């Protein structure tokens, strides 16, 4: 077999190109409306390299509640995190019943007895 003669894997003989494995890198976090979120990125692809950004959303009690992934920039991930938090908080807010409460009467002109 031809690959048996290629040499040990620890030595680069020039026949095969070694590549750095795509790693994950943290980019810090931010707070929004008492919720926090953290950014993570990873690099994919060998010939065409692409960096994808992901965001982990954490509630005010420190629980991880959502993981949004696949963004092309940190800014896109930040916008998605804000929209997700806003949508969740709007669902959590109690809605007022939509009833007709009437009109406020006008102030009387004459003396009030």
């Amino acid at each position: 077999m031809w690959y048996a003669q290629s040499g040990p894997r620890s030595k680069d003989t020039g026949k095969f190109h070694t590549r750095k494995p795509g790693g994950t890198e943290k980019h810090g976090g931010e707070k929004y409306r008492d919720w926090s979120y953290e950014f993570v990125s990873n690099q994919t692809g060998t010939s065409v390299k692409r960096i994808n950004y992901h965001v982990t959303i954490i509630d005010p009690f420190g629980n991880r509640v959502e993981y949004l992934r696949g963004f092309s920039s940190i800014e896109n991930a930040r916008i998605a995190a804000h929209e997700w938090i806003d949508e969740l908080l709007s669902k959590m807010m109690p809605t007022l019943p939509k009833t007709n409460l009437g009109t406020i009467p006008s102030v009387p002109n004459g003396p009030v007895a």
Side-chain angles (χ1 to χ4, degrees), residues 19-20 43-50:
R19 67 179 177 96
K20 181 180 173 186
Q43 182 178 348
T44 59
T46 55
S47 60
V48 177
K49 294 180 178 25
R50 170 182 278 169

Side-chain angles (χ1 to χ4, degrees), residues 23-95:
T24 302
E25 184 179 339
K26 289 189 175 186
H27 294 279
E30 299 177 9
K31 283 194 150 254
Y32 177 71
R33 299 180 80 176
D34 291 331
W35 291 60
S36 57
Y37 51 94
E38 300 171 347
F39 299 109
V40 175
S41 69
N42 67 337
Q43 182 178 348
T44 59
T46 55
S47 60
V48 177
K49 294 180 178 25
R50 170 182 278 169
I51 297 177
N52 290 319
Y53 295 92
H54 317 293
V55 60
T56 301
I57 301 175
I58 303 165
D59 70 1
F61 305 106
N63 302 314
R64 293 181 182 182
V65 293
E66 189 63 44
Y67 183 73
L68 307 174
R69 59 185 172 181
F71 299 100
S72 59
S73 69
I74 288 182
E75 186 60 32
N76 289 346
R78 178 181 293 116
I79 291 169
H82 287 194
E83 289 175 356
W84 191 92
I85 292 169
D86 287 339
E87 183 178 338
L88 181 71
L89 292 178
S90 69
K91 288 179 182 178
M92 292 171 60
M93 298 299 262
T95 58

Side-chain angles (χ1 to χ4, degrees), residues 101-112:
L101 299 176
T103 57
I104 299 174
S106 61
V107 179
N109 291 337
V112 178

